[in-house]
Amino acid sequence: MTQPQGALLVGSVNFDDAETTMRTAVELLGSHLRRLPDGEVGKRFHWIMFQPDVIGQADGIERIGDEPIPFPAGIDARGLRIAEGTDAAAIALPPLGYASAAIESYAVFTRLREEGAVPAGIRFQVSLPTPLAVISSFFHGDDRAAIEPVYTAAILRELDEILAAIPHDDLAVQWDVASEMGIIERASGYGALMEAWWPGDPFDGLVSSLAALVDAVPTDVEVGVHLCYGDAGEKHFFEPTDAANLVRYANAVVAASARSITWLHLPVPITRDDEAYFAPLAGLVPVEELYLGVVHREDGVEGAARRVAAAATFAPEFGVATECGIGRAPAGSTEGILRTHAEVASAW
C-alpha cells in the first residue's frame, strides 16, 4: 500500500490565537503542509454562527424573536428575516468579518515567516463559507431567494478585499461546503429538512453556484473545496452510506468550473473503514490534490491506518486530514490530532 502524502488542515484549530495555531502546526507537521490556516480563532471559532450578529446590523434585517439566544463566545444565535416592506435588493450589508480577520492573521503569518518559524513556500490559507450555508441556516421561506444575491455579493466583496491585501502567490482560498451536501442527501439537518429554494433540479443549482465561487478565485491563487456533513458537537448532521454523492458533486463542480481546483477534501465517518464506503472514489475525476478525512481524535493512528488501507484500493494518491475542522475538539487534544497526520502520511 502506498503511504498517503501530505496533510491538510481543514480550517479551525482549537487554540486561542492565530500565532499559537501557526507555530504549533508547523512544529508538528512542518513539511507535510502546503498551506497554513489561522485556526479560525475568535468569533469564527463556531464557523458561521457569528454571522447573524453581523447581518442583523443592516437596515431592513430583523432578528427573529424578542430575546437573544445565548451561544458561546457571546454570540446571539437567533435567526434573521427581511423586515416587512423592505426591498431586499436595497439592503446594504456591513463587512462580514472574513476579510478583516484574514488580513490580521496574514500579518502574523508574514511575521512568523520573517522570524523563520514558518518555512518559505507555505501559503496562507483562508476558509470562507458558501453563501448557501449562511442563507439556509439563518433565513427562512421566501426571504432566502430574496437575500441570496445580496449576501453572495457581500461574501464576494470579502474575497475581493482579501485578494487585494494578500499577494496572490502567498494565498490559498478554501470554500467550506456543508449545507449543499445536506440538500443533495435530503437530510434533516439539526431538526429541519435541508431544502433548496430555487426552481428546477436542486443539484444543478448547487453545482452552478459552487462552480461560480471557484471561478471567483483568480487562477494565480490556489483554491480548494472542503465538502462536509457538519461538525456540531463532533457529529455529522447526516451519515453518508458511501462516498457516491461526494464524488458525484465534486465531479460535476470540476466539470462546470472554468479554472482547476487545487485541492479537494472529502470527509470520512469514523465508523467507516470498509471498502464499500470508498469504492465510489474510483470514479472521481483527477484533481491536483485529494485529501481524505481519515484522521479522527477518538482512534488516532490505528483508526486512520485502517481507513487509509480501505481507501488506497480506490484512490491510490491522496493526503490526509480530519473530516472537518478541529476547532470544537476537546481542549488538550489538538497536538495529538496534529501528530496523527504526520504519523500516517509522508511529507511532501
Side-chain angles (χ1 to χ4, degrees), residues 192-314:
L193 182 65
M194 304 174 79
E195 295 180 298
W197 53 85
W198 54 88
D201 186 343
F203 186 79
D204 294 339
L206 295 171
V207 170
S208 62
S209 61
L210 182 53
L213 294 174
V214 169
D215 289 342
V217 180
T219 55
D220 58 349
V221 174
E222 293 185 341
V223 66
V225 170
H226 157 48
L227 299 185
C228 187
Y229 286 98
D231 184 45
E234 296 187 285
K235 299 291 184 183
H236 287 163
F237 57 71
F238 180 85
E239 294 296 347
T241 56
D242 56 33
N245 278 328
L246 294 164
V247 169
R248 177 183 174 228
Y249 189 35
N251 284 350
V253 171
V254 168
S257 302
R259 63 155 296 169
S260 63
I261 292 173
T262 314
W263 77 92
L264 172 67
H265 170 272
L266 304 180
V268 180
I270 190 170
T271 58
R272 303 304 296 270
D273 56 12
D274 55 299
E275 291 192 349
Y277 180 82
F278 297 99
L281 295 179
L284 182 66
V285 298
V287 293
E288 292 183 38
E289 298 172 33
L290 172 65
Y291 294 92
L292 300 180
V294 297
V295 174
H296 287 265
R297 170 182 62 82
E298 296 89 340
D299 58 11
V301 172
E302 189 272 335
R306 292 198 314 270
R307 288 181 280 275
V308 165
T313 299
F314 308 101

Side-chain angles (χ1 to χ4, degrees), residues 117-143:
V118 171
I122 291 183
R123 290 191 181 224
F124 177 66
Q125 178 182 322
V126 176
S127 297
L128 297 172
T130 62
L132 186 140
V134 174
I135 295 163
S136 64
S137 296
F138 303 117
F139 288 90
H140 306 277
D142 294 341
D143 282 357

Side-chain angles (χ1 to χ4, degrees), residues 79-98:
L80 302 161
R81 64 187 171 206
I82 299 172
E84 187 173 353
T86 297
D87 177 9
I91 294 173
L93 295 181
L96 303 179
Y98 293 104

Side-chain angles (χ1 to χ4, degrees), residues 7-15 17-18 21-22 25 33 35-41 44-45 47 124-128 174-176 226 231 263 265 321-328 334 338 341:
L8 174 73
L9 295 181
V10 177
S12 64
V13 178
N14 195 4
F15 290 127
D17 59 85
T21 297
M22 294 179 193
L33 296 175
R35 299 158 202 99
L36 191 61
D38 70 353
E40 298 179 12
V41 295
R44 294 170 297 135
F45 182 84
W47 195 39
F124 177 66
Q125 178 182 322
V126 176
S127 297
L128 297 172
Q174 176 178 277
W175 292 108
D176 292 338
H226 157 48
D231 184 45
W263 77 92
H265 170 272
T322 50
E323 64 179 353
C324 193
I326 56 176
R328 275 73 62 190
T334 303
L338 297 178
H341 290 72

